Amino acid sequence: MRLKLYSMALLAISTFSANAMNDLTGVVGEVHTRSGNSDGDHSIYFRLEVDNEGSTFANCLSEGTTVTWELNPQSPVFQQQYNLVMRSYTEQLPVRVSGQRDVCNSTYINSDKVFELSPIHWDYLLNRSKATENNQ
C-alpha cells in the first residue's frame, strides 16, 4: 500500500514539475533594453508573438498570457542568445524559448528568465525564401 502511495506521490510531483515551466514558440515581437544604474542593473527583455498550439505555459499562467523574457548579460551564451532574439525580431523567424522551472514561485509570474533559446526551422525558412527569390 505504501509503495502505491509513494508511486502516486512521485507521479504527481513529476507532473507538476513538467508543467511548472514555460516552453513557448513564436516570433520575437518586442525587444526592450535597460542600461540600468551604476550597480549594474543592465537587462534585455523580449516578448514573443506566441504560437499557442506549439507552446506550454507554466501552470500559474493562462494560455495567451504575455510573458516577458529576460536575457542574462552575465551568461557565457548571452551574445548568441541576443543574436537569435534580434534575428527573430528583424526577420520574423520563429524561436523556442524555455524558462526556469521555478517561475511559479516568483513574485512576478509574467516574467521569466531564459533557460534555453533555439531557432525553429530557420534553414528551411531561409532556403525557401532564397528559392522563391531565384525563381522570380
Side-chain angles (χ1 to χ4, degrees), residues 87 93-94 119-131:
R87 190 151 186 207
L93 294 168
I120 300 175
H121 309 298
W122 284 17
D123 286 340
Y124 169 76
L125 294 170
L126 293 170
N127 289 331
R128 184 182 70 184
S129 64
K130 285 180 186 175

Side-chain angles (χ1 to χ4, degrees), residues 6-118:
Y6 288 132
S7 297
M8 291 177 67
L10 182 60
L11 178 63
I13 290 170
S14 66
T15 301
F16 174 76
S17 64
N19 294 327
M21 65 182 264
N22 291 305
D23 189 1
L24 309 181
T25 60
V27 173
V28 175
E30 297 177 33
V31 177
H32 303 273
T33 59
R34 182 173 69 200
S35 61
N37 56 29
S38 60
D39 294 335
D41 184 23
H42 311 294
S43 297
I44 293 182
Y45 300 92
F46 66 94
R47 289 190 181 144
L48 291 180
E49 294 173 9
V50 177
D51 171 16
N52 284 329
E53 288 184 24
S55 299
T56 304
F57 290 87
N59 54 13
C60 57
L61 301 172
S62 62
E63 246 182 77
T65 301
T66 301
V67 179
T68 303
W69 295 91
E70 180 181 356
L71 294 179
N72 178 3
Q74 306 307 316
S75 170
V77 295
F78 169 75
Q79 190 61 53
Q80 290 83 359
Q81 289 179 334
Y82 177 76
N83 292 343
L84 284 172
V85 167
M86 293 310 295
R87 190 151 186 207
S88 174
Y89 179 68
T90 58
E91 298 181 37
Q92 296 297 284
L93 294 168
V95 291
R96 175 177 178 233
V97 187
S98 299
Q100 302 297 319
R101 291 201 179 275
D102 61 352
V103 68
C104 291
N105 298 334
S106 172
T107 306
Y108 305 105
I109 61 170
N110 288 336
S111 180
D112 201 351
K113 292 182 181 175
V114 173
F115 175 72
E116 183 178 326
L117 175 65
S118 56

